[in-house]
Amino acid sequence: MLKTALGRFRAVAFWEGLSFLVLLLIAMPLKYVLHLPQGVRVVGMAHGVLFMAYLYTLLMAAIEYRWGLKRIVVAFAASLVPGGTFWLDAQLRGEARTLETVKAP
């Protein structure tokens, strides 16, 4: 999966999406309900790093596969919606299979 730009993008998208959900559903309630801000600091930092990696791998995949502006904007927007990267992964899964069969001997 990590051998192609698309595979790397899908892997980073998974972890970025997971970190976003952990931030929203676990760390933020801990901060605002139980007054424990440490989770937001740790998970927020991890999510920030993963978001930057998401943007980088999105750019690399877009360049390699010559994605149009619409597809790039949709992929970017997916990172802003909780669970959006998982929806995007489902969309890209078929494309990844097609690329693997084309490159296979």
Side-chain angles (χ1 to χ4, degrees):
M1 179 175 193
L2 299 178
K3 293 181 182 180
T4 65
L6 183 59
R8 288 185 293 276
F9 174 62
R10 288 180 60 216
V12 170
F14 172 81
W15 290 108
E16 191 274 338
L18 186 62
S19 73
F20 191 26
L21 291 177
V22 169
L23 181 63
L24 291 176
L25 300 176
I26 297 173
M28 291 187 72
L30 285 174
K31 178 178 179 176
Y32 293 108
V33 175
L34 299 177
H35 307 289
L36 298 171
Q38 297 84 356
V40 171
R41 288 186 195 133
V42 173
V43 177
M45 176 62 80
H47 175 66
V49 169
L50 286 165
F51 182 72
M52 297 303 291
Y54 181 88
L55 294 177
Y56 176 76
T57 56
L58 169 59
L59 179 63
M60 293 298 105
I63 290 170
E64 184 169 331
Y65 299 107
R66 298 176 188 200
W67 288 352
L69 181 61
K70 180 181 176 184
R71 185 167 219 186
I72 294 167
V73 169
V74 167
F76 176 75
S79 71
L80 303 177
V81 177
T85 58
F86 303 113
W87 170 83
L88 181 64
D89 184 61
Q91 305 300 310
L92 295 175
R93 191 174 301 133
E95 184 174 328
R97 281 192 206 115
T98 303
L99 290 170
E100 289 172 5
T101 21
V102 170
K103 290 185 179 184

